[in-house]
Amino acid sequence: MKKNTKNKKDNKPKTKEEILKYEIAEELGLMDKIKEGGWKSLTAKESGRIGGIMTTRKKLMKNKIIEVGGQSGLRKTKGYDNSLAHRT
């Protein structure tokens, strides 16, 4: 008898955003917790931390693309602290 794989969730990331989310969760040491209980098992603090790091990295990637595109320096936007771009 063939297993019904249609209902089985595929836990592998598919989009660039999901890949980034998984990478950050791994860096924070949360993958065991996620594998056991899913993303819903994370606390609000843990989820917020992942989201915050994702946002920061997306901004940094966007700025790198702008720099590579021929513009010098970091892009200055209202409310964005360019000093964050130098953190690791």
Side-chain angles (χ1 to χ4, degrees):
M1 184 176 247
K2 198 173 186 181
K3 285 185 178 180
N4 187 1
T5 56
K6 220 177 205 183
N7 293 333
K8 189 176 181 180
K9 279 189 174 181
D10 186 13
N11 291 330
K12 294 183 181 177
K14 294 183 178 26
T15 65
K16 289 180 183 180
E17 201 165 72
E18 286 178 328
I19 292 169
L20 180 61
K21 180 170 74 170
Y22 275 83
E23 287 175 2
I24 293 167
E26 180 70 39
E27 289 171 14
L28 296 176
L30 298 171
M31 283 309 295
D32 288 336
K33 188 173 184 178
I34 293 166
K35 286 177 185 175
E36 283 181 26
W39 291 98
K40 65 182 179 183
S41 67
L42 296 180
T43 65
K45 184 176 181 179
E46 292 165 337
S47 296
R49 183 75 177 132
I50 292 171
I53 294 171
M54 285 178 67
T55 302
T56 302
R57 289 195 188 168
K58 283 188 219 177
K59 285 180 182 179
L60 292 174
M61 286 188 270
K62 186 176 180 181
N63 286 333
K64 280 187 178 184
I65 290 169
I66 290 171
E67 287 177 7
V68 171
Q71 295 181 9
S72 62
L74 289 174
R75 190 174 86 150
K76 294 182 180 177
T77 58
K78 186 176 180 182
Y80 178 70
D81 183 4
N82 284 333
S83 66
L84 292 175
H86 300 290
R87 287 193 206 173
T88 55

